Amino acid sequence: MLKILKYSFFDLIRSRWSYVYFAFYLLLGFVLLFLNNDLSKAIITLMNVIIMLVPLIGTIFGVMYFYNSKEFTELLLAQPLKRTSIFVGQYLGVALSLALSLVLGLGIPFVLYGLFTSAIIWNFTLLLITGVFLTFIFTALAFNIALSNENKIKGFGYAILLWLFLAVIYDGIFLISLIIFQDYPLDKLSLGMSMLNPIDLSRILILLKLDISALLGYTGAIFKKFFGSNFGVIISFLMLSIWVILPILRIVFKSKKKDF
């Protein structure tokens, strides 16, 4: 698996799309810091970009890499290699390359602007950790979609639909539910629905860490009470870890059962 991971990682690192992805975050970081000249304000702006863009890029790259390397994958399947090693290795190669581009692209501008001497270093670290989690989560979901659909067009369609649902539609359903059941206690419902969406969970963690939980609106006090505590933060990261582990386990299961 390590050899396949290494091959996939360096293959993607050398691709132009990885350079474009890295250059985008590098340029974005420098532009935001040049315009604001305030690290904390730049982090708030970056949060909105990362929450929406990182899942989309992870989903598209995951599906695109799987379908584009299908012939090479079939060649590997003819060798005495475990199926799980092939697909998990490819997944980790894609996710690690995207995560590295994200961390370096945003890290370089902030380090040059004095991140290590600033009080918001932990806020920025949380932002990057959340971005890495989202990268691994949505790349794994993309591999699951691609493994379940031989048709490339259908696979891309399901992948975009998944991102659209979790990034936009889910929030609409959430708000409608709060309005409909406003006469009932909604504490547990709000917490539960937020944990079922990695994008919402990541947004909440960052907003609470930046101490701007008022932006959460109706449920801000609930989230501040639970997620603002150390126990809440631990539970949140545990849920994000589960969002990574479960899709990987399904990749393993699906690769063993799938007829190539």
Side-chain angles (χ1 to χ4, degrees), residues 59 63 66-67 138-151 154-163 250-251:
T59 303
V63 173
F66 182 91
Y67 285 122
F138 280 86
T139 305
L141 293 175
F143 264 70
N144 275 282
I145 292 173
L147 272 170
S148 301
N149 295 276
E150 293 288 342
N151 189 295
K154 186 182 292 185
F156 270 101
Y158 285 142
I160 297 299
L161 184 62
L162 173 67
W163 171 81
R250 190 178 184 279
I251 291 174

Side-chain angles (χ1 to χ4, degrees), residues 33-53:
L33 291 172
F34 176 76
L35 294 176
N36 291 319
N37 202 25
D38 187 337
L39 295 179
S40 60
K41 291 181 180 179
I43 288 177
I44 295 173
T45 305
L46 279 175
M47 178 201 71
N48 297 318
V49 176
I50 286 179
I51 290 298
M52 299 300 291
L53 187 61

Side-chain angles (χ1 to χ4, degrees), residues 160-177:
I160 297 299
L161 184 62
L162 173 67
W163 171 81
L164 187 64
F165 175 78
L166 292 177
V168 181
I169 300 175
Y170 188 91
D171 288 338
I173 296 174
F174 191 3
L175 291 174
I176 292 173
S177 301

